[in-house]
Amino acid sequence: MTHQRANTALVEIREILKQGQKDLAAAYLARPDHRAYLAGRSQLVDQVLERLWLHEQLPNGAALIAVGGYGRNELYPHSDIDVLIALESPATSEQETVLARLVSQFWDIGLAVGHSVRTIDECISAAESDVTVQTALSESRLICGQQTLYQRLQQAIDVRMDHGQFIAAKLAEQEERHQRHAFSAFSLEPNCKESPGGLRDLHSLNWIARAAGFGSHGDVWQALQQNELMQGDERVAVERAAGFLADVRISLHLLTGRAEDRLLFDVQGQIAQQFGFTDIANRRASEQFMQRYYRIAKRVTQINTLVLKSISERLAPASKLKIRRLNERFQKVGHKLDLVDPLIYQSNPSAILETFLLMEKQGGVQEMTARTLRALYAARRMINREFRQHPENKKLFIQILRQKNGVLHALRLMNQFDILGRYIPAFGQIVGQMQHDLFHVFTVDQHILQVVRNIRRFVREDFAHENPFCHRLMTEFERPWLLVLAALFHDIAKGRGGDHSELGMADAEAFCISHGLQKKDTSLIVWLVKEHLTMSAVAQKEDISDPSTVAAFCKRVGDARHLTALYLLTVADIRGTSPKVWNSWKARLLETLYRSTLNRLEAIQGDNPEQLGDMVVQRKRDALTHLRFFALGDSVQAQFWKQLDDVYFLRHTDEEIAWHTRCLYYRTHDNKPIVRARPNPEGEGIQVLAYAPDQADLFVRLCGYFSSIGYSIMDAKIHTTKHGYALDSFNLLDASNRHMDRETCAIIEHDLIEVLLGKIEPSTPPMGRISRQVRSFPITPDVMLEPDESGQQYVLSIRAADRTGLLYAIAETLTRHGAALHTARISTLGERVEDTFLISGRALSQSRDRLLLENDLLEQLKI
């Protein structure tokens, strides 16, 4: 073929491909049909690849073979196109040139082709060393070329394939993939292909079933059903789920214009509309669609589990395993729990809950046989009002929660097979429900189970190192299972409209009364559900160094038992939202509030009111103890401490006071700025101390510098000494997780002094771009300015979407309005900030000036 004719042919083929793909997309959007689209695109690609193949002078002993998804005739709009060029014998140099030109032409016409060129022996060798290659070849089909060569390749693969090894490799591959996705189908931006419950789970099931000899040359789902490895409606459910997930993936590719398999926040609304969902009261279209997605993904995980267990048990029959009778209803087959009679649930419905209780009590049992799980799922509809009211079932459910081991595993299984949502109908309503608060990363039901997980880990010795303080409190707590019950109900009313704490409190009370809990235990659980957000709000948004704040919180909790229960639930709740939300700063705030409140409660109960006023004295004593470790005498601090008021000692920890004193006791009256930085001794990040004669724009300069070097201020304590010096301390975190060591601290100390001396002007940090999540679910900024109790200062509360440079913009605005900053409480909750500032200034004395400040801040906060 001449060069000119080749170019003309390429242009023609490229146009055929382009127009064909455009027609397929238009037809799909007009009337979605995933089967027609996937087969149509595969046929279109077959057509153009065959034309290119025929135009080249290829060796006779060669074949062009579709493998992987292309081999299955499942080509999504932007899927890679995997092909194998099989050769009778190794290519000559001339043939290699022709093949290279052919592959280049694949790309020239606009196809993302993944190719390999191998002889049959090379294919076998690659398959034996790589299960991915073996999987791709098992789904191959001939596009064009020598058919006998292709047949020999198939025969060779069949003969050399170790089916047992292949099955083991695919199971391990699925386990690793699930682990990458935290074993959950319920992340807020799931991958419809790779996440648990996605298309890849169906592919894995297909591959393993074929390797086990079921449906190797036909419809796998039909073969599984015929062999009773799929039962009931499982085949229909799988086929519907496969169609739904295929439609989701096609829609994602067409909408984003790329091979995007994640249901990102940006596109969920548009995808929901394509699937016919519209906004209704209290629920967006995207929430309704995603709940449908999660429930289908959950059904896929159920069937994947059931069928893989069934195949495994078919390949290793129970007759070869040790069987031990547990009671008249259950037995242990190998390491699995099994029903003696698969119809037991029909004759004895209470056995449904007994199943999970037995699993907890049998230490070595972590699994159930496939027939037990199937029987459980089939029996779920028996859990109705009559079942829930039966005294035996109530007793069994409470026993499940009270066990020493296996509680979380039991609850997760109960949720996976729809038992938990049937027994607690309010829980069933929040299964698969999204949370658009920008810091929860799980659906409501999965978040609740994460909180239960954390509470259970507080109990266990092997996890004591994660949070020693919580472990000690939990081991001393009477009836710790009550906290598991409180966790189950704390968010159970999400999505109903109204205050979910109030609504959930009513659900919890009804449940506790119905299940015969003691009055004091019912009171505790109901109170925890109502107040589960209180401790977090007080610790992060209020000044917990202020005795009046602690006194008010102390009055709210009432006694040490309520305080400890609320503290443990709060820590478990925050840690169950997202890995990004929990940090050492929040841990310290909550623990400080807990200890301060406990001290006050003990003082009140001990009838020792003088103890309440001794916090400053005690804080000073503890700080002196720290100083003695550095061989500093009891009087070195006198000159420095004389310039500090009680508010300083209440607001800082004894360790912080000792650090400040070591840095400043001999430089109390220095006219030059002093900056010290150190790795945070209580966790990640850096602590910075800045000490200098006070100046109007000091906080602005500090914020500007920290922002310019890429650090976020997690906490700021602004203090002015009696002799007019600013003593400001900061906890910084680096969003990009750079390594922070002594060298980093030295750089900060040097550069920040230069900034405060005016030798370096920190560049004004640009207002960063907002995240995808905030763009999809925007936060309306809110600014509130109100006088404090003294009437001399003002409390400024700000709620807005977080982004780089935000705090600098706030500080700069306050400075422009002549507002002096006394304290700052910086609280970052995922993508949202809730900051509180105590400010004063003559410019705030008039209501008109305060209104101007509020409006100016709102302008800065707008997205």
Side-chain angles (χ1 to χ4, degrees), residues 713-725:
I713 300 174
M714 299 305 296
D715 190 25
K717 295 176 182 176
I718 313 302
H719 192 79
T720 305
T721 65
K722 293 177 182 178
H723 67 314
Y725 276 64

Side-chain angles (χ1 to χ4, degrees), residues 650-664:
L650 290 170
R651 188 168 291 136
H652 294 81
T653 67
D654 48 312
E655 197 280 332
E656 288 173 334
I657 295 166
W659 181 48
H660 294 174
T661 304
R662 285 191 289 116
C663 296
L664 302 174

Side-chain angles (χ1 to χ4, degrees), residues 594-626:
Y594 174 84
R595 292 183 183 277
S596 299
T597 308
L598 185 64
N599 288 339
R600 187 175 182 90
L601 286 168
E602 290 173 346
I604 293 171
Q605 291 166 0
D607 196 24
N608 183 14
E610 289 80 11
Q611 185 177 338
L612 299 178
D614 286 347
M615 291 178 66
V616 172
V617 174
Q618 187 60 45
R619 195 67 55 84
K620 289 180 178 179
R621 286 175 182 164
D622 293 340
L624 285 172
T625 301
H626 282 287

Side-chain angles (χ1 to χ4, degrees), residues 184-203:
S184 175
F186 303 96
S187 64
L188 296 191
E189 294 184 313
N191 186 309
C192 70
K193 179 185 175 186
E194 298 290 339
S195 291
L199 284 164
R200 188 61 83 204
D201 274 9
L202 297 177
H203 297 156

Side-chain angles (χ1 to χ4, degrees), residues 66-109:
V67 296
Y70 182 26
R72 292 193 304 270
N73 279 310
E74 290 182 10
L75 267 190
Y76 288 85
H78 291 278
S79 291
D80 287 340
I81 297 160
D82 295 322
V83 298
L84 165 68
I85 299 175
L87 300 176
E88 190 81 54
S89 57
T92 64
S93 58
E94 183 179 347
Q95 289 170 343
E96 286 178 351
T97 302
V98 174
L99 291 172
R101 185 168 63 243
L102 176 67
V103 171
S104 175
Q105 289 172 356
F106 291 166
W107 285 88
D108 287 343
I109 64 170

